[in-house]
Amino acid sequence: MLLIKGSNEVKKAISFLKNSRKTIGFVPTMGALHNGHISLIKQSKAETDITLCSIFINPLQFNNEIDLNTYPIKIENDIEMLINEGVDLLFLPDKSEIYPENYKPIDFSFDGLDLIYEGKLRPGHFMGVANVLKIFFEIIEPNYAYFGQKDYQQTLIVRKLIELLKIPIDIKVCEIVREETGLAMSSRNVRLNETNRSNSGFLFKILNELKEDLNNISVEEAIELAKSKVALNAEASCEYLDVLNRDNLEKWEEGYIKNQSIILSAVKYGNVRLLDNILI
Ligand code: PAF
């Protein structure tokens, strides 16, 4: 695996590969890799000639200083995992490589999609994600870019970004990978204490039960029932739990076709935010 820190070196390598008609799959990450990331890498390896992975903890997308300062860093372990997976290129830039001094973030317009759910709870988060991805996309010019369904709202924002930038990148959304308990894999799961980690499957179970309940009771009743089940867990508090149109995250209304919906949730468990969703 080639490890590159400079964007000009990445551009040179990519231009050489593109001249040789190689397709490029891009897996952006913030490191602390787990099997969720590995599934994106495996899909890219299966679908493209060259897989490039980036590791960059993007300060612009953190609305909370403590979250940024405690974000897990495991760079040596990450590099070993990427080598084992046969990743071709690792882009590992410093902050100054991505954001030159006086960098002015672009204020994209996502028609309000960046201001609801995760965007409402983490003001500025999606602007930070969009800015860093624009920079990465311009350096790497991938044919495909791989994202996990766990961060479902992010995948919609990325699709809108691609439309706004008018760049021909095919966005691939890969299924959620889960721990044995059912907990959706996330780099932040290491912050759960042992007891909470082993009990953390409750959210996935509740979402599945909600999906079943939609066949028998009204959407509003099913959502309230699911929220009351979350509340039975001493350390859990529901931030949002909704049944939404999966294309735009508008509220589910009578008349929507159920199989175009998504159950979207965020639950604070101890000091960790768990994000999860199920497509209906
Ligand atoms: O999903 C993430 O890990 C980040 O939001 C991403 C896409 C790497 C951008 O920093």
Side-chain angles (χ1 to χ4, degrees):
M1 181 177 75
L2 206 59
L3 189 159
I4 306 184
K5 287 186 147 260
S7 23
N8 285 336
E9 286 71 30
V10 173
K11 281 184 186 166
K12 269 188 216 145
I14 295 291
S15 132
F16 172 79
L17 291 163
K18 287 212 160 168
N19 285 339
S20 326
R21 297 192 177 279
K22 302 280 188 208
T23 53
I24 314 288
F26 173 40
V27 183
T29 82
M30 298 204 296
L33 302 179
H34 50 70
N35 282 342
H37 298 111
I38 298 303
S39 76
L40 309 183
I41 289 168
K42 284 194 191 304
Q43 190 164 332
S44 171
K45 295 265 315 161
E47 296 177 346
T48 69
D49 298 319
I50 299 291
T51 293
L52 184 154
C53 187
S54 64
I55 297 182
F56 178 65
I57 300 180
N58 173 29
L60 225 56
Q61 72 186 73
F62 285 79
N63 61 309
N64 173 333
E65 194 84 351
I66 299 174
D67 190 26
L68 173 61
N69 293 335
T70 56
Y71 197 83
I73 301 178
K74 299 182 174 177
I75 193 66
E76 269 143 40
N77 189 53
D78 291 346
I79 291 177
E80 204 178 305
M81 285 170 83
L82 296 178
I83 293 173
N84 288 342
E85 287 307 315
V87 166
D88 302 286
L89 272 149
L90 167 61
F91 183 29
L92 188 63
D94 290 332
K95 187 176 159 204
S96 59
E97 191 67 33
I98 298 301
Y99 299 123
E101 234 180 284
N102 303 325
Y103 175 78
K104 292 247 174 334
I106 300 172
D107 195 9
F108 293 99
S109 166
F110 294 117
D111 303 325
L113 184 63
D114 55 317
L115 304 176
I116 55 178
Y117 297 103
E118 274 313 284
K120 187 168 177 190
L121 290 168
R122 303 181 65 192
H125 169 65
F126 288 120
M127 275 316 148
V129 171
N131 272 268
V132 81
L133 287 178
K134 174 182 183 289
I135 295 167
F136 277 130
F137 288 157
E138 285 170 356
I139 297 170
I140 299 161
E141 295 186 31
N143 302 89
Y144 302 90
Y146 294 82
F147 295 87
Q149 185 194 310
K150 183 185 71 75
D151 297 305
Y152 186 81
Q153 194 173 355
Q154 170 170 276
T155 67
L156 296 183
I157 292 283
V158 177
R159 288 191 192 287
K160 276 191 179 276
L161 178 70
I162 298 292
E163 260 174 52
L164 283 175
L165 298 174
K166 297 187 174 50
I167 44 179
I169 302 176
D170 197 344
I171 300 302
K172 300 277 190 164
V173 178
C174 307
E175 273 178 28
I176 298 177
V177 179
R178 297 182 180 278
E179 298 189 2
E180 256 175 51
T181 58
L183 174 68
M185 287 201 179
S186 161
S187 301
R188 290 179 176 89
N189 289 352
V190 294
R191 291 188 196 152
L192 285 165
N193 66 36
E194 225 175 283
T195 319
N196 284 0
R197 194 150 185 180
S198 54
N199 293 337
S200 57
F202 71 90
L203 180 56
F204 185 46
K205 184 165 174 281
I206 292 171
L207 298 189
N208 277 305
E209 288 168 359
L210 165 51
K211 183 175 170 180
E212 281 307 307
D213 289 342
L214 290 174
N215 297 317
N216 306 312
I217 51 179
S218 75
V219 175
E220 291 75 18
E221 282 170 325
I223 292 172
E224 283 317 308
L225 182 58
K227 285 184 177 170
S228 66
K229 289 179 189 170
V230 171
L232 293 177
N233 292 272
E235 288 192 52
S237 69
C238 189
E239 294 189 334
Y240 55 81
L241 199 167
D242 246 324
V243 181
L244 303 167
N245 178 327
R246 68 166 78 161
D247 295 331
N248 52 23
L249 302 191
E250 281 174 8
K251 291 259 186 217
W252 194 95
E253 282 169 19
E254 235 32 82
Y256 276 6
I257 301 167
K258 279 195 184 151
N259 67 11
Q260 288 175 349
S261 308
I262 183 168
I263 302 172
L264 194 74
S265 66
V267 166
K268 186 117 187 266
Y269 193 37
N271 59 350
V272 183
R273 300 185 64 241
L274 309 180
L275 302 194
D276 207 342
N277 63 73
I278 329 190
L279 297 174
I280 304 177

